[in-house]
Amino acid sequence: MNILVINCGSSSLKYQLIDSETENVLAKGLCERIGIDGALTHQPAGKDKIKSTPAMPNHKVAIQLVIDQLTDAENGVVKSLDEISAVGHRVVHGGEKFTSSCVITDDVIKEIEACNVFAPLHNPAALIGINACKELMPGLPMVAVFDTAFHQTMPPKAYLYAIPHEYYEKYGVRRYGFHGTSHQYVAGKAAQMLGKAPEDLKLIICHLGNGASVSAVNGGKCVDTSMGLTPLEGLVMGTRSGDLDPAILEFIAEKENLSLSEVMDVLNKKSGVMGLSGVSSDFRDVKAAAEAGNETAAHALEVHRYRVAKYIGAYAAAMNGVDAIAFTAGLGENDDESRAVIAEYLGYLGAYIDPERNDVHGEDAIISTDDSKVTLLCVPTNEELMIARDTAALVK
Ligand code: ADP
């Protein structure tokens, strides 16, 4: 069956049409600048990208344009909407309510709304997409796939913060974790590549993109992850600080005469390798600057890689061992140098990278030596495929 996968942001929308039997992508694309002017990129499989700039005043218009592209006589990939069996939506925050993907009903929509407080930028956008699809494709089954769901197996010792317990009870302040769809996909793929059952493996998944998180997956279940109540905690990211001393917030607010929400803005949008290097949030730019002799840029990369290595160490301890460590997402899949530097910290685990095998970019590969006790892997993530799989399974 053909599944339309929708990933809605506040001003953008990514889509893929996936044949769930063959798992082939029939077409994919991106609507950008929704509510501003509008830009559409549509790519049928095996053909060139088609770019256009139709007016896109809102998400409903954007989704109608996506439907028009998919059913277009020339560049479409299906004859009519009848050839689309279901829609799978990426939803960032499912709170404690959603431990797995689910078919979208009015009650589910209400529950997603209740989680808006934790993801005020992301969840409302997903809901707009869900409601627009409901109007434009009435009766078509829809499924919500949550970034937080895979992490719901974490035990209390991993998800509780050491603050007054009433904040958890009253407001749900706890670690939720994000990128769960990616962590789950990569954990499954890693098990497959190792020829083992997920139940028999201790895995550490490093999702290193602009946003970045690490997870510890024991026996196929997530037992810890680096992002927290929000995606700000954990690793150093493109523009996000990750872990820091909470006292810094008050200190900077006083010194710079900023409100708390202004400090939060700095931590979310002006920190990470962007803030450290002053060069860019894009790791490629920061690398280029470091190679050209910019010492602050070099330090930014060191801080980033060191933090990843520390999390790997923490999660190896949390699971009392690790069988394999997988690198995924933009940087994890492509940046062999970062992988090599991170691996230098892992000798005590008996993990050794093979420089030749590590010369791999965006492909599934084992990158450790044959005698490495811990297998190191490069695994390109595929969140859209995971969403299509869950959607197909739930609407069958
Ligand atoms: P997100 O989905 O979080 O926006 P991605 O997973 O697409 O991010 O990753 C984007 C990041 O990956 C960018 O910061 C980019 O610099 C980095 N990246 C991609 N390719 C490379 C590479 N070859 N070397 C270093 N960094 C890379």
Side-chain angles (χ1 to χ4, degrees):
M1 69 176 82
N2 294 333
I3 308 290
L4 177 59
V5 175
I6 301 267
N7 181 351
C8 238
S10 52
S11 69
S12 71
L13 183 160
K14 288 187 212 153
Y15 64 92
Q16 288 195 4
L17 189 68
I18 297 178
D19 176 337
S20 65
E21 271 97 45
T22 61
E23 299 201 333
N24 287 335
V25 177
L26 306 178
K28 64 181 173 183
L30 170 68
C31 299
E32 288 172 289
R33 302 176 63 82
I34 302 172
I36 306 166
D37 41 15
L40 176 69
T41 307
H42 175 73
Q43 187 172 27
K47 291 194 186 168
D48 289 338
K49 284 183 184 161
I50 303 145
K51 293 193 176 193
S52 56
T53 51
M56 248 181 243
N58 56 50
H59 285 74
K60 192 172 162 192
V61 173
I63 289 172
Q64 184 60 54
L65 287 163
V66 171
I67 296 171
D68 293 346
Q69 290 291 323
L70 292 171
T71 55
D72 183 69
E74 200 182 330
N75 297 314
V77 288
V78 290
K79 285 200 191 74
S80 74
L81 273 183
D82 295 344
E83 290 178 40
I84 299 177
S85 304
V87 185
H89 291 270
R90 177 197 180 205
V91 182
V92 165
H93 218 302
E96 285 188 322
K97 177 75 192 172
F98 297 105
T99 56
S100 59
S101 305
C102 66
V103 173
I104 297 175
T105 61
D106 289 344
D107 282 345
V108 167
I109 290 178
K110 281 195 201 116
E111 296 285 356
I112 296 173
E113 267 165 9
C115 299
N116 283 1
V117 53
F118 297 127
L121 295 179
H122 294 100
N123 270 27
L127 284 164
I128 290 171
I130 289 169
N131 287 322
C133 285
K134 218 168 115 180
E135 281 182 43
L136 293 168
M137 297 175 269
L140 201 63
M142 299 202 289
V143 166
V145 179
F146 301 91
D147 271 33
T148 47
F150 181 60
H151 302 304
Q152 276 295 309
T153 47
M154 283 188 288
K157 67 181 176 186
Y159 71 67
L160 287 176
Y161 290 112
I163 54 176
H165 195 60
E166 65 189 85
Y167 298 156
Y168 168 59
E169 288 167 339
K170 282 204 285 194
Y171 312 120
V173 175
R174 52 159 284 177
R175 175 181 310 288
Y176 290 97
F178 299 88
H179 295 139
T181 314
S182 173
H183 287 286
Q184 186 174 14
Y185 173 83
V186 174
K189 188 79 192 182
Q192 208 183 328
M193 287 164 74
L194 296 166
K196 295 221 169 128
E199 295 73 38
D200 299 331
L201 286 170
K202 292 175 179 175
L203 301 172
I204 296 175
I205 314 295
C206 307
H207 176 111
L208 310 179
N210 230 324
S213 63
V214 189
S215 67
V217 182
N218 195 348
K221 294 203 164 90
C222 177
V223 292
D224 208 343
T225 192
S226 59
M227 281 179 168
L229 175 74
T230 75
L232 182 57
E233 193 182 349
L235 298 178
V236 176
M237 311 183 210
T239 62
R240 281 174 247 161
S241 63
D243 299 338
L244 44 69
D245 179 348
I248 291 172
L249 276 75
E250 187 187 27
F251 186 84
I252 296 295
E254 278 180 13
K255 290 282 178 204
E256 294 275 316
N257 197 21
L258 297 175
S259 68
L260 189 53
S261 75
E262 286 168 332
V263 177
M264 293 312 297
D265 209 50
V266 171
L267 298 183
N268 271 303
K269 298 186 187 150
K270 296 177 188 161
S271 299
V273 290
M274 168 77 227
L276 273 168
S277 68
V279 172
S280 166
S281 63
D282 191 303
F283 287 86
R284 285 164 291 200
D285 300 338
V286 183
K287 270 179 78 174
E291 277 158 24
N294 181 331
E295 215 173 286
T296 7
H299 287 153
L301 295 175
E302 280 172 18
V303 175
H304 175 265
R305 293 160 179 171
Y306 179 62
R307 182 82 53 90
V308 178
K310 287 209 292 186
Y311 264 99
I312 292 173
Y315 288 169
M319 294 190 289
N320 195 6
V322 54
D323 298 305
I325 300 165
F327 295 93
T328 192
L331 179 104
E333 291 165 19
N334 294 301
D335 187 11
D336 51 308
E337 187 192 313
S338 273
R339 292 190 302 244
V341 175
I342 293 164
E344 279 172 21
Y345 290 99
L346 309 178
Y348 73 101
L349 289 172
Y352 300 108
I353 205 157
D354 180 315
E356 274 174 34
R357 290 179 183 171
N358 187 37
D359 188 13
V360 68
H361 310 97
E363 282 170 55
D364 293 332
I366 289 178
I367 55 172
S368 46
T369 58
D370 286 337
D371 63 352
S372 181
K373 277 197 222 144
V374 178
T375 309
L376 303 174
L377 302 155
C378 171
V379 183
T381 193
N382 196 338
E383 287 156 290
E384 291 78 13
L385 177 57
M386 202 69 212
I387 294 172
R389 282 180 184 165
D390 274 13
T391 304
L394 282 165
V395 302
K396 242 178 202 158

